[in-house]
Amino acid sequence: MAPKNAFLNMLAVVLASLYIAAADPDILVDYVVPPDATNVTADYFTYTGLRGLIGGPTPPNFTLTIVSMFEYPALNGQSVSYAFLQFPPRSVNSPHSHPRGSEILLLLSGRLDIFLVDTDFKLFAKTLEKGDMFLFPKGLVHYQYNSDPKKPATALSAFGSANFGRVTLPETIFITSVPDIVLAKSFQTDIATIQKIKNGLVGSNGPN
């Protein structure tokens, strides 16, 4: 078996194991109250952190705003969370997966190229228009690209977990302790190329 195929198969096994093991636990109460809460009001169930983002200015780089149980404690135990995605022209949400929840994306503005890869390495590609939705099954690698050179795009994603997790492949592979020689052999290239990729990622804005 070629080194590249071996590496891809190993990656698929890791992602599949995350898919099988990860799920939100059921709760035996209506909702989870923080330990320090003495009086729960409607404010506890309200989140206002997206007010300035929806309809606001476009950021210079792709920006992901996560609304999970850590940002919105009322979601704890409810198996749901959200993310707001902002795509300036020619920006990408790099290949990643969510080990603990499926994702359904609603395109709010602009056009967006969507890509999904299953464990048979089949690529599904679609261009979404405003108002379209797309499902990313739990644990599968996917990414989005705004190919428009002038117009931004925005989207809202819902997840089937209060803490869906995010495994970003470029950073997971290249900004970790995986030895350069292993990466070079896996991608059938040389160590200098691997180091150049690493330097480029470290010099970027980092994972979103």
Side-chain angles (χ1 to χ4, degrees), residues 60-64 85-96 112-115 142-148 153 166 168 170-171 201 205-208:
N61 302 301
F62 167 73
T63 301
L64 174 69
L85 302 88
Q86 297 169 283
F87 296 86
R90 299 289 194 188
S91 64
V92 63
N93 182 9
S94 59
H96 62 279
L112 198 61
D113 297 329
I114 300 291
F115 304 89
H142 58 280
Y143 54 104
Q144 302 99 22
Y145 176 52
N146 179 13
S147 59
D148 195 297
R166 178 178 166 87
T168 308
E171 288 78 14
L201 289 171
N205 293 325
N208 284 296

Side-chain angles (χ1 to χ4, degrees), residues 99-176:
R100 291 184 291 274
S102 299
E103 173 184 2
I104 186 163
L105 179 147
L106 169 64
L107 187 61
L108 301 177
S109 66
R111 300 173 76 245
L112 198 61
D113 297 329
I114 300 291
F115 304 89
L116 169 68
V117 183
D118 68 13
T119 53
D120 291 324
F121 309 120
K122 181 177 180 180
L123 175 66
F124 300 86
K126 185 71 176 179
T127 298
L128 300 187
E129 304 284 347
K130 179 181 177 180
D132 292 347
M133 304 176 76
F134 194 93
L135 172 69
F136 302 103
K138 180 171 67 173
L140 295 187
V141 173
H142 58 280
Y143 54 104
Q144 302 99 22
Y145 176 52
N146 179 13
S147 59
D148 195 297
K150 296 182 179 180
K151 296 180 180 179
T154 58
L156 183 68
S157 285
F159 299 87
S161 169
N163 179 23
F164 52 86
R166 178 178 166 87
V167 181
T168 308
L169 298 191
E171 288 78 14
T172 299
I173 294 171
F174 292 103
I175 307 184
T176 57

